[in-house]
Amino acid sequence: MTVPSFSAPNSRRRFLQQAGSATALVPGLAALTTAADTRAVDLPGRADNCILLWLGGGACHVDTWDPKKKGDGKKVAGSFYDAIPTAIPEVQLCEHLKRTARLLDRCVLLRGVHHEVIDEHAAATNRLHTGRPPSGTTIYPSIGSVVAHERGSASDNVPPYVVMGYPSASRGPGFLGAGAGYLYLTDTESGPAGLRRPPRVNVVRQARRERLLGKIRQRFLDNNPNDTRVRDYADATRGGLKLAGPKFMSVFDLNSEEDQLRQAYGSEFGQRCLLARRLVESGVRFVEVAFNLNFINGTGWDTHNQGQQQQHRLIDQLDQAFATLITDLEKRKRLDRTLIVIATEFGRPPEFDAGGGRGHYSKAFSVVLAGGGLKTGQAIGTTGELGKTILEHPVSIPDLHATIYQALKINPAKELYDGVRPVPITDNGTPVAKAFA
Amino acid sequence: MRTIITTTLVLTTCLVLRPLVPTQARAGEVLDRYAVLVSRDKPVAWWRFNQVGAPFASRGDTQLLARATQSVQAGVAGPRPAVYPLFAPTNRSVALSGSDRLIITDPGDNSPLDFTNGDAITLEAWVRLDRLTGNQNIYLVGKGRTNNPGQASENQNWALRLTGRQGTARVSFLFRNSDNRKGVSNDFHRWTADSGFRPGRAWHHVAVTYEFGAPDSLRGYVDGAVVSGTWDMGGKTTKPPVVDNDEVWIGSTLGGSAGSTLPGRIDEVAIYRRALAASRLATHFEATRPDPRLAELSDSKLPNHAVLVELLEGVPAKRSWDFVRSRPVERWQQPAAAWIGLPKRYSDEGLIVDRPAPFLLRARTRLALPPGKYQFLLRARSAARLTIDGKLIASTKLLAGGGGGHQSVPDAIDSGRDDLVDLAPGHNQALVNVTLETQDDNSRLVLIEAIVGGGGSRTELGELLVGYARNGQPFQLLAANGTNTLGLSDTQWDRYVVNYSRQLLTQNDTRRRKSDPLEQEYWKRRHRLARQAVPATPPPALDGSLGPVDRWLGSEAASGTDLPLVDDHTFFRRLMLDTTGVVPTVAEIDWFGTRPVATRRNDAITRFLADPRWADHWVGYWQDVLAENPGILKPKLNNTGPFRFWIHESFRDNKPIDRFVTELVLMKGSRYGGGPAGFELATQNDAPMAAKAHILGTAFLAIQLKCARCHDAPYHPFRQEQLFNLAAMLNRRPLKLPATSTIPGGAPGGDSLVKVTLKPGDSIDPTWPFVELAKSDLAFGELRDNSDARERLAALVTSPTNHRFPQVMVNRIWKRYLGWGFVDSVDDWHDAKPFYPGLLDHLARELVRSGYDLKHVARLIFQSNTYQRSVHPGTTTTDPAPPAARPVRRRLEAEQIVDSLFVVSGKQMRTGYLTLDPEGRRGASTFLNLGIPTRAWEFVALSNERDRPALALPAAQSVVDVLLAFGWRESRPHPTTLRDSTTTVLQPLALANGPAANRTIVLSDDHVLTDMLLDDLSLPDIANQLYLHVLSRPASAEEHAEIVELLASGFSNRRVQQAKRKRPSSRRLTRVSWSNHLHPQATRIKLELEQLVRAGDLPTRRLTSDWRERAEDVIWALVNSPEFIFAP
């Protein structure tokens, strides 16, 4: 067994070597790189894993993390729910985040996140994931792929990056290439798409298949000696089958957890969070968990019109899962090393639309960071009376990315390489210094 | 129906009137019967608009000049025969829009244009209304209310208008009483008709008569008939109207407000100082507007054994059946009355163009149907009608556009009988019982009409079909006399769809190849000039038995020329993969085996160069190189149109590559329907032409301008300005550098490698920046329009004086087939020193001299020993030595792998339509439908960034997963030639366990190998067949033994006698569409579908499960061997 991780043997190292040799060949590039490296930030990152809870659709900040005076659901703008006190003095949350409120001292609230994309979910989702506007000259990698690329997986035969949600280019590796790609699953029951054996293939058949394949493949290898690409592929086949084998697949067996804990996590989203914890423990570096159970309120977090009426049920499920994830990780002494991020493509305005719901708003919204060895127990940034303007400490999307990289011990001033072309890891982002002890 | 009968009666009456001779004629004017009729009624003023320019003098008792505002179009066609037989064939009218109007000065006090109590008035006009918005009030002719300075406001003496109500235009009469109190709306008196006509291309005659002071005297007329109406503002009155000396305007009012201006044409505006009698006005209108049902009865031109299909334009924008049927613009025949789409329309340049929507599909046939009881079925996406012998049998409702996402999911319309396939999503149907009576020869005239597009929906026909069942027998498609009976069950409909799609492809081929004769002439001429400009280079005089490729490589001292050639099977698989993009079938291998040994390889090259799959194999390549990047859901990520279809057609036609480039640069044709105009699109990109210039530079000139997008390229000699010069040429005028296309300050310290020499806002000229590649003056014959910068750019790239272009193209082909390039970075030749420059130059000249025929160059390569040698086990990209004269190891491209998997199984892809709006209710700029894919290049990013289970397309996703694992790009915002070739564990996993690949393994009843395994073959034969089928070669002795051993047990009893073949179900689980995807039911349906996809195909019951499973395991092992995914 020679496949150390998700990608083929040393492919990343080889890639870096190529990039390195290009540096040497092209005068001036080295200087450029050095100049960039001097921007490295001196803040202590402590996390080794990241769980991104993605609230697709655009979760309303004034109905969750940044409560304001109440509106009436019609003409009077404002929050839809009452606010409650939290473990952080003078910081309030919406009443449906009651479990989280008690644990808020494990979190950093970023209340001044902003960007300018509002009209389209896909474009804003892309912005949050890649940290940049799309370009006609390259595809930027997602934050998960960058982490996978920079830190690899934490143990052998485990992918560095797993998505629980639907595949999309926004979540993809972009110019970093397939080695920084993700494995995805759309429900916790059946495991990753295409990874698990088809239902009709039992262990006996699988063994028979692999025995026969072994012979056929060996003859081909013997007939094609010194063919590195063929050999790489044969190795990858062995690695793949191992990944699909009992060891890694057992990670997806949530039944092995105690009933009490499973119940504590709650709904399907909670079960995904539990699975995320198990994946992190198995060595997966970055897990993105989509909260996309739209049927709960009809629209998911995209609460136009009637979607608003049942929004509290989404918030409640999020609250239950998130609070359990924090305590579970804490109990297992992993919270300091695991950064939890709750993000969304944009917030929503305090005003209500004609149907009693809300439109899109990106000039101010909230992102939550928890654990990860950060200086938790603070809300950074404040917004105006109705949550539409940022009064202090704005955090751009590049800043947000820089903060996450910093927390994960990745130099936020580093240059990545698209071929020979240097691409800063973030678009001039600076970590939020206050979030670090 | 009533109006039609009336029309016919009028027609008969007029035939009696015809002998009347006109009495009044003006010199030079063609006399017509309308002149006779109107003259007899003595109008006070009458404008005929037959001159080609304004001003227009009136006829009648008073000579009044109508002046026209600047953009009034005079001389456009008015109502003309045959439809409007009262008029001369040259009859003209005026067309208005915006704030257009015709102005007539009032001669003064008590003029013939002034009307007050006691005066009777008739106002009339012919009008062709193009469109109608809401409750719009359109002025045909009126006096006062002009907003002219010095005139009282609201001073309406009289006006004939059209008022919009519920999509119809109603005749309306308006005046203001002499009180004219400011702000009192009841001083207006308005009469509006209760019914009207819809906008469209038909001409209508409208009139009102009234006697001021006699409120019950008002009569309104449309098309010569009285229409009822009410005084719906201000009520009736005996008060006199405002009378002053303001102007009379035709076609607008209120200073020329756009809302009051007639969008359309007007003719024959007449004012009378008396109320014409109804009997007189009836004679002023005559139309042979055919009742389509009646007209067809007399049509003797119907083909005997086919359904005649015609497309007609002129459906009003509001989509109604009430419009004059014009001559069909397209026509073809087909055997049955069922459609799943329409053939494409092509411009005279052979490019896909959009049809003006909405339009009408009309299909007719004469069909012998015995008398009896029938059930007739009409299914359509939008409004359709079925008529038999002039009698309306069934109709379906109009498709409503839009829809927010919260609508409910319709129940599956399942007839409850096996003989009827489920209704397609978003479609509606009419199922009616009909008794057909006995009649002469029982020949029935069947007419089907369907409205396509309009109302904001995409211009797609969807599925349109007519079926019938006689006396409770199974349903069948309505098909022409003498054609085979076609059932309507799931599987029969599936087969029909597959066949129809194939026919559409060939029908499109035929249409396209006939569409552009002048264009073909032009390119032939250019290619003659190119041959004169580029003489051939004779290959070096080495071994005369060798072809030019091998002779050149020999003379340029390539190594490896002594290596032997591969065996026939290896050659054949390699050739098939390189020409058709798929592995051969056993039948194709057998054909190859029957060819004489001496000519076998050449025969195969000839056959498969001509195979239409050649095009399929090229599409994926150019999608990458040209950054084709369509989005199926609200595309906002630098997306293009789906110009994939133009690429596909170009390669089906083996279009000369210089013409291909030219068409791409000119960006004409359909933007969303597959034409090269789709290349022009770049959503949310503020410098789209710079992006396109970058693509063209890398694709055809191997100039890498990527970095120049934002600054001068650090590793290339290109300045940002050069990229923007190209962009400005594409833009056809100077371009300003957008603020985003720069980097701040050229990097700190000033010693940066990256230089910025342009400032945001700088203007850059459309000039050719690469004079070292091609001089900017062009030879005669290359340019048709010297003033068009795009055409100049296209010509500069493709001119024979540009030596870079053919070399870049030849290098691309060479690299694709050999795995190494003369210049290995095919899209970036900066500082490149090509290997084997003699051969490169020779092939480039061959390309030019063959008329830029890529197949000619491909043939030279395939025929060479170099191509036919065994592969070098590794890559040469980092090797400084020239590559040996043999291919290097190539892994199959993602598309080749997926397509080959389906060749191995012989199954259909069954992913359904690639769209998130199968109902077709949204416009093409927000939702695309890319059809049902049959080849891998047709796939697209499934665009579920919203993460909504209801928006998942699980079957398509299972194929996309395999494509993605092997380096296919779902998002192509920028050009690439060489894909990411990293080996990852996801690749073998996709083939080992993925649901799409699993379909290749599972021996269901639609797997080609299932039948083979049931045949009377020996075990060794089966082993051989399996190897041939998957790996295109016979099994070795050792391989035989392995398989025989594995499959021996249970072999003789493998057949289950009583088990029946079961076709896969094609139950439609795709009732989810954008309009209902937020409904909980939508999520449930999609999760169920996801389960079904994961569960996979149902294995056959005709083989014992134990033996079948072992056979499947053999196929699995063969497909998962590296031998399957590397080119041999």
Side-chain angles (χ1 to χ4, degrees), chain B residues 737-945:
Chain B
L737 187 73
T740 47
S741 293
T742 191
I743 53 165
D751 57 346
S752 166
L753 187 67
V754 175
K755 292 274 190 294
V756 177
T757 48
L758 285 180
K759 293 189 302 295
D762 281 359
S763 181
I764 302 112
D765 286 333
T767 50
W768 175 244
F770 302 115
V771 282
E772 70 280 12
L773 295 182
K775 290 185 216 91
S776 53
D777 53 326
L778 287 160
F780 169 78
E782 288 166 334
L783 271 183
R784 282 178 287 189
D785 179 2
N786 190 39
S787 67
D788 180 358
R790 279 193 191 172
E791 201 183 316
R792 237 172 28 243
L793 172 57
L796 284 160
V797 174
T798 58
S799 163
T801 58
N802 180 344
H803 300 301
R804 175 65 83 86
F805 169 61
Q807 292 199 354
V808 167
M809 296 314 296
V810 161
N811 189 49
R812 283 183 173 279
I813 310 173
W814 183 272
K815 167 109 185 181
R816 198 157 195 234
Y817 296 145
L818 275 301
W820 56 270
F822 301 108
V823 179
D824 214 62
S825 52
V826 292
D827 54 4
D828 182 1
W829 280 26
H830 171 57
D831 269 355
K833 285 198 185 66
F835 299 120
Y836 312 119
L839 175 56
L840 176 62
D841 176 64
H842 174 76
L843 290 177
R845 284 166 189 270
E846 283 295 309
L847 178 67
V848 176
R849 294 185 53 77
S850 65
Y852 291 86
D853 176 1
L854 284 190
K855 282 189 184 176
H856 173 72
V857 176
R859 178 188 292 277
L860 293 176
I861 296 173
F862 294 148
Q863 287 176 332
S864 71
N865 290 344
T866 302
Y867 175 78
Q868 297 187 16
R869 288 192 185 102
S870 64
V871 295
H872 184 283
T875 58
T876 57
T877 46
T878 51
D879 196 341
R886 61 194 295 201
V888 296
R889 177 64 77 191
R890 292 173 291 158
R891 199 203 66 205
L892 301 189
E893 296 292 348
E895 292 94 327
Q896 287 172 310
I897 291 169
V898 162
D899 288 333
S900 293
L901 286 174
F902 282 94
V903 166
V904 168
S905 70
K907 294 183 183 181
Q908 289 175 37
M909 283 183 169
R910 290 186 185 284
T911 61
Y913 287 95
L914 293 177
T915 183
L916 293 168
D917 176 34
E919 294 176 337
R921 292 168 63 171
R922 296 294 189 119
S925 63
T926 49
F927 283 86
L928 287 177
N929 181 352
L930 295 182
I932 299 176
T934 59
R935 289 286 299 243
W937 63 262
E938 297 177 71
F939 283 88
V940 66
L942 299 179
S943 297
N944 197 357
E945 278 86 357

Side-chain angles (χ1 to χ4, degrees), chain A residues 345-390:
Chain A
E345 65 262 42
F346 37 58
R348 310 190 85 85
E351 295 87 4
F352 297 92
D353 61 26
R358 300 187 190 273
H360 302 163
Y361 196 76
S362 65
K363 287 182 186 151
F365 62 103
S366 305
V367 166
V368 182
L369 308 176
L374 293 177
K375 188 179 165 196
T376 59
Q378 52 173 340
I380 299 175
T382 49
T383 55
E385 190 189 18
L386 285 171
K388 294 185 78 167
T389 50
I390 299 169

Side-chain angles (χ1 to χ4, degrees), chain A residues 171 178 184 186 195 227 292, chain B residues 889 947 961 980 993 1042 1090:
Chain A
R171 291 180 164 141
Y184 81 94
T186 52
L195 192 57
D227 196 326
N292 60 355
Chain B
R889 177 64 77 191
D947 248 318
D961 283 349
D980 181 8
N993 292 349
E1042 248 163 41
E1090 215 167 285

Side-chain angles (χ1 to χ4, degrees), chain B residues 159-229:
Chain B
L160 170 64
R161 315 191 303 171
L162 294 175
T163 293
R165 292 279 188 279
Q166 292 157 0
T168 59
R170 315 265 173 98
V171 173
S172 177
F173 179 71
L174 179 77
F175 70 91
R176 182 92 173 164
N177 72 46
S178 55
D179 295 351
N180 198 11
R181 291 163 293 179
K182 206 178 171 89
V184 178
S185 63
N186 279 347
D187 282 355
F188 273 120
H189 300 277
R190 183 179 72 192
W191 182 93
T192 307
D194 299 335
S195 60
F197 58 88
R198 290 181 185 277
R201 298 180 68 168
W203 282 93
H204 293 277
H205 175 266
V206 292
V208 291
T209 64
Y210 185 59
E211 186 187 333
F212 286 95
D216 291 323
S217 65
L218 197 125
R219 299 283 178 279
Y221 297 85
V222 172
D223 295 350
V226 174
V227 286
S228 62

Side-chain angles (χ1 to χ4, degrees), chain A residues 8 26 29 136-137 166-167 169 171 177-178 184 186 190 195 205 208-209 219 224 227 292 294 298 302, chain B residues 706 715 873 889 946-948 957 961 970-971 974 980 983 989 993 1039 1042 1078 1090 1094 1097 1112-1113 1116:
Chain A
V26 184
L29 180 61
T137 53
Y166 288 90
R171 291 180 164 141
Y184 81 94
T186 52
S190 40
L195 192 57
R205 286 188 76 185
R208 184 163 67 211
R209 286 179 167 198
R219 276 194 296 274
N224 294 277
D227 196 326
N292 60 355
N294 299 9
D302 193 18
Chain B
K706 182 180 201 165
Y715 321 125
R889 177 64 77 191
R946 284 165 175 74
D947 248 318
R948 296 179 183 162
Q957 186 70 56
D961 283 349
E970 60 178 336
S971 175
H974 65 96
D980 181 8
T983 304
L989 267 178
N993 292 349
E1039 288 160 343
E1042 248 163 41
L1078 291 171
E1090 215 167 285
R1094 199 174 291 128
D1097 294 345
E1112 287 176 354
D1113 295 345
W1116 182 91

Side-chain angles (χ1 to χ4, degrees), chain A residues 3 5-8 11 18 26-29 32 54 56-57 119-123 125-126 134-139 165-171 176-179 182-184 186-187 190 193-200 205-206 208-210 212-213 215-217 219-220 224-230 232-234 236-237 239-241 243-244 288 290 292 294-295 298-299 302 304-306 418 420-422 428, chain B residues 406 633-634 636-638 684-685 691 694 706-707 709 715 744 747 752-754 871-875 889-891 944-949 952 957 961 966 969-975 980-995 998 1001-1002 1027 1036 1038-1039 1042 1046 1078-1080 1083 1087 1090-1091 1094-1099 1106 1108-1110 1112-1114 1116-1118 1120-1123 1125-1126:
Chain A
V3 184
S5 77
F6 203 52
S7 51
S11 68
Q18 280 167 14
V26 184
L29 180 61
L32 193 75
W54 178 252
D119 56 347
E120 170 51 30
H121 293 282
T125 301
N126 187 267
S135 135
T137 53
T138 191
I139 306 182
Y166 288 90
S168 75
S170 291
R171 291 180 164 141
L176 293 179
Y182 55 82
L183 194 67
Y184 81 94
T186 52
D187 77 329
S190 40
L195 192 57
R196 182 164 290 219
R197 282 198 308 273
R200 293 193 190 86
R205 286 188 76 185
Q206 186 61 27
R208 184 163 67 211
R209 286 179 167 198
E210 290 187 33
L212 187 58
L213 173 61
K215 293 184 208 164
I216 293 174
R217 183 173 53 208
R219 276 194 296 274
F220 189 69
N224 294 277
N226 309 320
D227 196 326
T228 47
R229 300 195 60 193
V230 172
D232 277 0
Y233 188 78
T237 308
L241 291 173
L243 188 63
E288 176 170 349
N292 60 355
N294 299 9
F295 54 84
T299 61
D302 193 18
H304 298 280
N305 303 316
Q306 304 96 319
D418 173 12
V420 294
R421 181 190 184 201
N428 275 318
Chain B
H406 289 279
L633 196 174
K634 303 185 182 178
K636 289 281 169 65
L637 296 169
N638 200 29
Q684 299 224 324
N685 186 324
H694 166 217
K706 182 180 201 165
C707 301
R709 180 73 171 71
Y715 321 125
S752 166
L753 187 67
V754 175
V871 295
H872 184 283
T875 58
R889 177 64 77 191
R890 292 173 291 158
R891 199 203 66 205
N944 197 357
E945 278 86 357
R946 284 165 175 74
D947 248 318
R948 296 179 183 162
Q957 186 70 56
D961 283 349
F966 286 98
R969 298 192 302 158
E970 60 178 336
S971 175
R972 291 184 288 262
H974 65 96
D980 181 8
S981 62
T982 319
T983 304
T984 75
V985 294
L986 280 187
Q987 292 159 1
L989 267 178
L991 295 186
N993 292 349
N998 190 40
I1001 311 303
V1002 174
Y1027 265 89
S1036 68
E1038 195 182 355
E1039 288 160 343
E1042 248 163 41
L1046 194 65
L1078 291 171
H1079 193 275
T1083 299
L1087 292 178
E1090 215 167 285
Q1091 294 291 345
R1094 199 174 291 128
D1097 294 345
L1098 208 61
D1106 172 60
R1108 172 187 49 78
E1109 284 179 357
R1110 277 177 283 137
E1112 287 176 354
D1113 295 345
V1114 172
W1116 182 91
L1118 293 172
N1120 281 279
S1121 162
E1123 187 173 351
I1125 72 140
F1126 285 94

Side-chain angles (χ1 to χ4, degrees), chain B residues 187-313:
Chain B
D187 282 355
F188 273 120
H189 300 277
R190 183 179 72 192
W191 182 93
T192 307
D194 299 335
S195 60
F197 58 88
R198 290 181 185 277
R201 298 180 68 168
W203 282 93
H204 293 277
H205 175 266
V206 292
V208 291
T209 64
Y210 185 59
E211 186 187 333
F212 286 95
D216 291 323
S217 65
L218 197 125
R219 299 283 178 279
Y221 297 85
V222 172
D223 295 350
V226 174
V227 286
S228 62
T230 48
W231 288 97
D232 62 348
M233 181 193 271
K236 301 177 196 178
T237 186
T238 54
K239 289 182 182 170
V242 177
V243 184
D244 58 20
N245 290 332
D246 201 357
E247 293 164 343
V248 170
W249 283 15
I250 293 173
S252 191
T253 196
L254 291 171
S257 80
S260 73
T261 304
L262 168 74
R265 301 182 184 184
I266 191 165
D267 200 12
E268 312 295 346
V269 177
I271 305 165
Y272 304 78
R273 293 196 70 91
R274 58 189 177 123
L276 290 189
S279 57
R280 292 303 307 151
L281 280 169
T283 65
H284 287 201
F285 178 76
E286 194 181 312
T288 55
R289 183 183 312 185
D291 175 352
R293 287 159 282 177
L294 296 175
E296 313 325 336
L297 287 170
S298 59
D299 195 333
S300 54
K301 287 182 195 157
L302 278 186
N304 233 337
H305 297 289
V307 177
L308 177 67
V309 190
E310 294 165 320
L311 301 185
L312 290 78
E313 293 177 357

